Structure formats: structure tokens, C-alpha cells
Amino acid sequence: MKLYHLVLILLLSACASPKPLTAEMKLGSLKAVNLEETITRKDELMMTWSLTAFDSRNKLVGVASSAWGVETIRKGAVLSFASQAPVQVMIPKGGKVVASLVLIEVDDYTQAQQLIRRIRDINGWMQVPAGFFELGTELLTPLKYVTTALTAAGLGVQVADRLDKDDILGQSSVEIHDQADSRKTKSPSVTHVPARFTGRHLRDSFEYAVEYDIHLKRMKIKPASGR
């Protein structure tokens, strides 16, 4: 009888569906190598980032977003995001996930704080109904991925487009595709992304270094309750 129960448990375990493959985006650090504002010697920054999941037909099926700021940064400052909660989405079989991040120099402190609060009110991963938001196959910039995620999560185009009105210091994106090998392995994998943002604004130059990780693991996550 014990042998029968043991065989039954093994059969049920073999038939049980594996936990879904999940992507998790975790911020690491931000370093102010050189500032945009040389007169005040400080920049007021915010960041917003997202994961957008697409099925095998390149249709948007899920989003997750978060934000940080507004913080006053001086030259040489190094910030750690170890306490920042990650964002997560499930990767459809044969699909992909795009991790995107935007660093922004804030012009309007009050409006930026309101935007950050609204982004943080989004409770995790949002499933996007089929046909709700069509992207097609056009190549999108990191900013477009972020604003698309915010719009699909119910923040509205007007709020998402608020990002365009501030000074974009840098954008970063990385695509991770579902592959047969990634579904066979049980151990998590990590993609480390070092992003360096440089440029000029009028007579001032700036340089920021941002690092973040994309973890692939098998775990179940609950979608948010609604928009």
C-alpha cells in the first residue's frame, strides 16, 4: 500500500504543470559622475521603469511599472536601490519581455511627485486583455515602452505623456526572449545591465551610470486586482 501511494505521488508530481517563467527587474545603483546643472551644482531626478510582456505574435499581454524620486543629487553621489521592490511579469511561451528604464531631470517638482505616487499606486503586474492595446511590430524607444506600460496599466495617455515634458537624461532597454533552454532549466538566471547616460544641455554636460538586473525564475505571481 505504501508503495502504491509513493507511485501515485510521483505520477501526480510529474503531471503537475511547472511554475510559469517570470521576469523580475531589480534596480541596483545610480552614480552621478557629472551633473547637468553646473550653476546650482545639483540635479533633481526621477526614474521610472517597466517590464512589458509580449506573446509569440508580438501582442502586448502584461505590464508592470515602478518609479523613484524626486531626489536632489550632487556630483559624485552613489545611490543604492537595494530596498526598492522589484517589478515582475510572466513571460508567455514563445514570447518576450522588454525591460525599460528612463532617467529624468525634473522641471516641475510637484507634478513629478504626483506622477510618481500614481505610478506606485499600480499594484504590480497587470494583465492586458487581448486586443486592448495594439503595438504592431514597430521598434519602440525605451521611453515609448515605459509610457505604453503606464497607459496599459490605466494611468492614461495624458499622465504618461507628462514624461515627455521633462528633460530626458537617458533611456535603456533590454529584450529577453523565451527560449527552450530557459524553460528547461530550474535554476534562476540573471542578466546584468550597466547603462551609462551622457549628453549636453546648453553649455552643461552630464554623465550618469545606472545598473539593474533582470532575473528569470520559475515562480507564480498574482496579477493586480484591477486598474
Side-chain angles (χ1 to χ4, degrees):
M1 183 64 69
K2 290 183 178 180
L3 180 60
Y4 170 78
H5 285 148
L6 178 60
V7 172
L8 181 61
I9 291 172
L10 292 174
L11 286 174
L12 290 174
S13 299
C15 295
S17 58
K19 291 181 180 179
L21 188 62
T22 299
E24 180 180 273
M25 183 178 183
K26 176 68 175 176
L27 263 66
S29 63
L30 180 150
K31 181 178 181 180
V33 181
N34 195 25
L35 300 183
E36 183 186 33
E37 297 289 346
T38 57
I39 297 177
T40 61
R41 297 185 179 181
K42 59 184 180 180
D43 284 347
E44 290 189 328
L45 303 180
M46 68 168 284
M47 278 196 300
T48 182
W49 55 95
S50 67
L51 289 174
T52 45
F54 299 83
D55 64 16
S56 58
R57 296 175 296 173
N58 205 40
K59 301 297 183 182
L60 181 66
V61 293
V63 298
S65 303
S66 190
W68 162 88
V70 176
E71 294 288 341
T72 300
I73 305 298
R74 297 185 182 276
K75 184 176 180 179
V78 179
L79 302 182
S80 171
F81 295 92
S83 61
Q84 186 81 40
V87 292
Q88 303 166 329
V89 296
M90 292 184 190
I91 305 179
K93 187 174 183 180
K96 68 177 182 180
V97 64
V98 181
S100 306
L101 177 146
V102 180
L103 179 66
I104 302 162
E105 163 69 11
V106 171
D107 293 328
D108 190 316
Y109 183 91
T110 301
Q111 289 195 7
Q113 285 285 18
Q114 292 174 352
L115 175 59
I116 290 169
R117 282 196 294 269
R118 293 194 65 181
I119 295 173
R120 287 177 175 173
D121 284 342
I122 301 172
N123 186 21
W125 168 49
M126 292 278 187
Q127 289 178 304
V128 181
F132 173 77
F133 207 88
E134 296 292 341
L135 286 181
T137 58
E138 62 179 308
L139 181 64
L140 299 177
T141 65
L143 178 60
K144 288 295 186 181
Y145 278 114
V146 169
T147 54
T148 294
L150 295 178
T151 303
L155 285 184
V157 177
Q158 294 83 5
V159 175
D161 283 350
R162 170 67 211 170
L163 297 176
D164 289 323
K165 303 186 187 311
D166 288 310
D167 191 7
I168 305 298
L169 299 181
Q171 308 178 46
S172 173
S173 269
V174 60
E175 283 191 18
I176 297 178
H177 292 259
D178 174 43
Q179 298 174 343
D181 292 343
S182 64
R183 293 199 172 262
K184 289 179 181 178
T185 182
K186 295 183 179 180
S187 58
S189 65
V190 182
T191 299
H192 180 67
V193 184
R196 189 165 291 268
F197 306 137
T198 61
R200 296 188 65 86
H201 179 67
L202 301 177
R203 294 184 298 174
D204 299 330
S205 61
F206 63 87
E207 182 176 356
Y208 283 93
V210 179
E211 296 186 359
Y212 58 95
D213 295 325
I214 310 300
H215 297 254
L216 292 184
K217 57 181 72 175
R218 290 201 169 277
M219 61 182 291
K220 289 184 178 180
I221 55 175
K222 293 182 179 180
S225 56
R227 291 180 172 77

